[in-house]
Amino acid sequence: MCGIAGEVRHDGRLPDVAAVGRMVGSPSMATRGPDGAGVWSAGPVALGHRRLAIIDLSGRGHQPMVDAELGLAVVFNGCIYNHRELRRELEAAGHRFVSTSDTEVLLKGWREWGEGLVDRLAGMFAFALAERDTGRLVLARDRLGIKPLYLADVDGALRFGSTVPAVVAGGEVDTTIDPEALHHYLTFHAVVPAPRTLLSGVTKLPPATILVVEPDGRRREREYWNPWLAGPPASAPSGEDPVSWREAVEAALRTAVRRRLVADVPVGVLLSGGLDSSLIVALLAEEGQDALATFSIGFDSAGGEAGDEFQWSDQVAQRYATDHHQLRIPTDRVLDAL
């Protein structure tokens, strides 16, 4: 999962490293990254990171990751599924790597392609990249906004983080409720459209967006992808034949599942017993995943309603011989959490 945080100043002062440290150390960030933490600062920028090690489990994958030769530093949350292919392309262009992490691909890729890097990334990501020579900070999110990135303007600086509580932990944030965001939250099943959040002093970077922050505080925001403007992919059938569409959807699902096998740790599935997760387990099994770990969560029955779907998830687990785990959450734990 990982978590990122940071600050970029535009008033000539040094960044508040202590505030970034509070963000990195906040409980909502600590649970995102149990495998390491770090803070780095240079010029007007401070970056912080909590690590959940997925690719390159060694210390070479530690973040914030700094490339002194290129004059770049980055913190990154997510996974770049095609990082190996991009690495080969960058090595052919003369770049040298010291790790096998997808994080380092972002550093070399930014130097090689600039903002065109995001067009080449297949994955889910939120990253902050600092340029030493220009003092510029770049923030970016993946196409669908799978990975979060929250922003807050404080006196003379812009702060950012992977969670709202982390941003608040940095201090100086207006925590009054945004009534329009609350309306969205109650209307759209707990969804608040970007750029708003429930807090007046915190916004979120929209999906498929790059935000470039100059040293003087000027900002340039660009949407680099839009599903309505991009048009159908080349693999989409041109007609309405249902067989062709079924085959195209199956091929896309297989590609998506195959990409998510890119990890240096075991891959597991949250198996609800529904159609989506059952399909994913089936496709993983066909990809040759033996002893695949699956997890199903259930609750106590209440008011005549079943609290779990174990009867369905058990059937899928048995069919594909997964290493299955049933997790039942008692009512008192649910009420305490709420």
Side-chain angles (χ1 to χ4, degrees), residues 93-150:
H95 293 276
R96 295 170 298 161
F97 288 80
V98 298
S99 76
T100 58
S101 71
D102 49 350
T103 308
E104 191 175 5
V105 170
L106 296 178
L107 291 169
K108 314 295 188 185
W110 184 262
R111 172 48 58 92
E112 185 69 22
W113 301 306
E115 291 186 23
L117 167 66
V118 291
D119 298 312
R120 296 169 176 263
L121 300 178
M124 51 180 180
F125 57 85
F127 67 80
L129 186 145
E131 297 180 341
R132 178 192 60 202
D133 297 339
T134 65
R136 184 181 295 130
L137 179 76
V138 180
L139 303 172
R141 281 184 82 191
D142 61 71
R143 290 172 178 81
L144 297 181
I146 299 170
K147 292 301 179 182
L149 188 55
Y150 297 97

Side-chain angles (χ1 to χ4, degrees), residues 60-84:
R60 292 186 298 272
H62 181 75
Q63 298 184 49
M65 185 175 286
V66 181
D67 189 317
E69 182 179 343
L70 298 182
L72 300 174
V74 70
V75 286
F76 159 59
N77 168 31
C79 185
I80 307 302
Y81 304 130
N82 63 335
H83 74 97
R84 294 189 183 107

